Amino acid sequence: MPYISVTALSHPGLRREHNEDSLVVGPWTLCATVTENPQTMAFPLGRPLVVAVADGIGGQPAGEVASSLVVRRLALFGPALDGEEAVRDALGMCNHAVYAAADRAPELSTMGTTVAGVVILEQELLVFNVGDSRVIEVGPSGDGSAGNGGPAGARAATDDTLHQLSVDDSPALARGRRTTSIITQALGGAPAFSAITPHVSRSPLTPGTRMLVCSDGLTDPVLDNEIDDILRAHDGGRAVFELWKAAMAAGGPDNVTIALVSVTG
C-alpha cells in the first residue's frame, strides 16, 4: 500500500535564545519548541497531507506566535487543500489571521513569518511558499530506502540530487554573497496589512519522490553540496540527524527545522 513517511526535527540552534520555527505534518503541529531526536510519522496516501515549516521573522516581535498561528491553521485546513486555489486561499487566510492577531495586541505589532511546504495528494504534489523557507526535491539515498522509479531515481548518478521547488522571496544577491536575510514578502511582518502572492505549483506524484522542507537555518549555513552528500548517503531519521549536525557544525546561527518527506509504494 502506498504511504508517506515524514521525519522531522526542530531546534533553536546555537545562537538564538529560543525557537521561532513551527512545523505542521498533517494534524500534528510542533510550535516554537525543540525535538531532542528526529520524529518519524507515516500516513496512507490518499487524503491531502500538508507538511510545512513556518519561520518567524527574526528581529521583530513574537515570531514564534506568528509561526505557531500559521501552522495550526494549516493543520485545520489540511484535509481541504485539494488544489492550487485552495492552497492560495488558505495562505491568504493565514496572512489575514497574523495581521488580525497583531491588531488585537500591541506587543505583537509587525510580527510575521515565512512558510514553505507541500500538500501530497493521491496523484499530485502541490508545492507552496511565501518568503525564503524552502522545498527541495531530493534524489534517492544511497541506502536504497527511498524507493525507485520516480523522477529522482531516473537521474544519472553524477547529477545533483537537489532541485529547489520553492521560489525564494529575496532580492537579487550582491556579487560574492550566497545568502541574504532580507525577504520581499511574508505572512504579516508589516505595521499595516499587506496582501501576499503565494508561490504555488503542482506536478504529478511519483512513488520514490523525496522532498526536503526546511527553514533557512539549514540552507544558509550549510552548502548545497554538503546537504546533497548527506541525502545521497542517508534517509529518514539518520538523514535528518546528519543535516542538523551539519547546521550545528557550521555554527548553528539560526533556528533550524527540517522535514524529510518520502513517498513509497
Side-chain angles (χ1 to χ4, degrees):
M1 178 179 179
Y3 70 95
I4 306 157
S5 174
V6 183
T7 302
L9 177 150
S10 188
H11 190 273
L14 301 178
R15 301 184 193 173
R16 304 293 190 187
E17 292 184 359
H18 60 283
N19 194 359
E20 295 187 326
D21 288 358
S22 295
L23 171 73
V24 55
V25 180
W28 183 80
T29 58
L30 184 69
C31 296
T33 187
V34 180
T35 49
E36 296 293 336
N37 297 291
Q39 306 293 310
T40 299
M41 292 153 278
F43 303 86
L45 185 63
R47 296 182 64 190
L49 179 76
V50 60
V51 180
V53 169
D55 179 356
I57 297 175
Q60 295 179 204
E64 71 280 7
V65 176
S67 69
S68 298
L69 185 156
V70 167
V71 299
R72 286 174 174 148
R73 275 164 173 71
L74 288 176
L76 291 174
F77 296 149
L81 299 179
D82 57 359
E84 292 177 81
E85 285 308 308
V87 172
R88 288 191 182 92
D89 289 346
L91 294 173
M93 286 187 279
C94 287
N95 189 40
H96 278 280
V98 172
Y99 279 107
D103 286 344
R104 291 192 295 270
E107 67 274 16
L108 303 181
S109 178
T110 74
M111 73 173 181
T113 183
T114 69
V115 67
V118 296
V119 179
I120 304 164
L121 306 176
E122 188 168 12
Q123 296 181 329
E124 289 186 313
L125 174 69
L126 304 175
V127 176
F128 62 88
N129 78 283
V130 177
D132 60 355
S133 292
R134 291 187 178 178
V135 179
I136 300 169
E137 183 186 11
V138 179
S141 67
D143 64 13
S145 60
N148 296 299
R155 296 190 190 107
T158 56
D159 287 349
D160 289 339
T161 302
L162 308 182
H163 295 261
Q164 185 173 332
L165 302 179
S166 55
V167 179
D168 289 345
D169 284 315
S170 300
L173 294 174
R175 180 182 291 272
R177 289 187 61 91
R178 191 178 66 84
T179 64
T180 177
S181 60
I182 300 170
I183 54 175
T184 54
Q185 67 169 347
L187 305 178
F193 177 80
S194 178
I196 56 169
T197 304
H199 305 283
V200 185
S201 64
R202 68 193 305 159
S203 61
L205 182 68
T206 307
T209 294
R210 288 198 304 165
M211 290 155 291
L212 179 65
V213 182
C214 61
S215 60
D216 63 357
L218 174 66
T219 53
D220 277 1
V222 184
L223 296 174
D224 287 354
N225 62 350
E226 187 173 359
I227 295 173
D228 190 14
D229 288 344
I230 291 169
L231 292 171
R232 282 179 183 272
H234 305 294
D235 195 33
R238 179 64 185 275
V240 170
F241 179 73
E242 294 295 335
L243 290 171
W244 170 77
K245 274 198 346 182
M248 297 305 102
D254 200 355
N255 308 151
V256 56
T257 300
I258 303 164
L260 183 61
V261 184
S262 300
V263 181
T264 64

